[in-house]
Amino acid sequence: MTTARRIFHKSLVVGPESIDALGHVNNREYLRWMEDIAVEHSAAQGWPMERYFVDRTAWVAASHVLEYFRPALVGEALDVYTWVARWDARDCLRRYAVMRGGRILARGETIWTFVDLDSGRAHAIPHSVLESFATVGDDDEQLRALRLARRERRGLAGSVAERRTLLA
């Protein structure tokens, strides 16, 4: 696993437990990989779960979007990437890509909401958290080099707040 301040990357090999009845990686595995790499990226930036718990805060998923382009099969080596695309007062938009041999198999995004664990309510993201993560724009040079740069999909609102409004 390689740690990068802006774009976090890890490699994995698809195990038989990830395969569904159709012989390819089950959709739920992509979501699991997205959640796992988000937690690993946070820990690499100095924010392991234990640190959030000390402050009685945590991130919870408000929504996930996944797009699948190609299947993955048992034994294949994959690269999973994540980065923070945007911040709002209480939310962040985190993006992901799963690749094999430089080709995108799936991409996704999650709106994570920062919450107070005692009340269960959304909480303003502390400056100490914000300053630990770089924001990576959609047309970032490093994303272009990885062939991950993209434009917004037609029909989806642009900001985290607008996307949350669509879910309401």
Side-chain angles (χ1 to χ4, degrees), residues 134-155:
T135 302
V136 179
D138 289 341
D139 198 32
D140 180 81
E141 182 178 319
Q142 192 176 3
L143 287 179
R144 283 196 310 267
L146 292 166
R147 298 178 58 193
L148 296 175
R150 70 178 200 182
R151 294 183 183 168
E152 288 293 325
R153 289 170 296 212
R154 179 177 288 181

Side-chain angles (χ1 to χ4, degrees), residues 59-62 84 86-94 110-115 122-125 130 160-164:
W59 292 101
V60 297
V84 174
R86 289 191 197 96
W87 297 100
D88 284 337
R90 294 181 168 109
D91 301 311
C92 93
L93 175 64
R94 178 180 282 279
T110 301
I111 296 175
W112 291 99
T113 300
F114 200 74
V115 297
H123 185 277
I125 302 167
L130 293 171
V160 174
E162 289 169 323
R163 288 175 192 229
R164 286 189 63 86

Side-chain angles (χ1 to χ4, degrees), residues 14-93:
V14 177
E17 68 283 355
S18 296
I19 303 302
D20 65 15
L22 300 177
H24 57 70
V25 171
N26 189 289
N27 295 352
R28 74 176 174 269
E29 293 298 295
Y30 292 93
L31 180 58
R32 184 174 64 83
W33 295 336
M34 288 168 43
E35 290 176 340
D36 289 350
I37 197 171
V39 170
E40 292 171 28
H41 182 210
S42 186
Q45 298 309 115
W47 286 94
M49 293 303 294
E50 298 78 17
R51 185 171 178 191
Y52 291 113
F53 293 159
V54 166
D55 292 338
R56 301 294 303 145
T57 60
W59 292 101
V60 297
S63 71
H64 298 290
V65 174
L66 279 158
E67 297 177 293
Y68 305 99
F69 303 107
R70 294 172 186 83
L73 307 173
V74 70
E76 291 184 329
L78 305 181
D79 293 296
V80 184
Y81 297 89
T82 189
W83 59 96
V84 174
R86 289 191 197 96
W87 297 100
D88 284 337
R90 294 181 168 109
D91 301 311
C92 93
L93 175 64

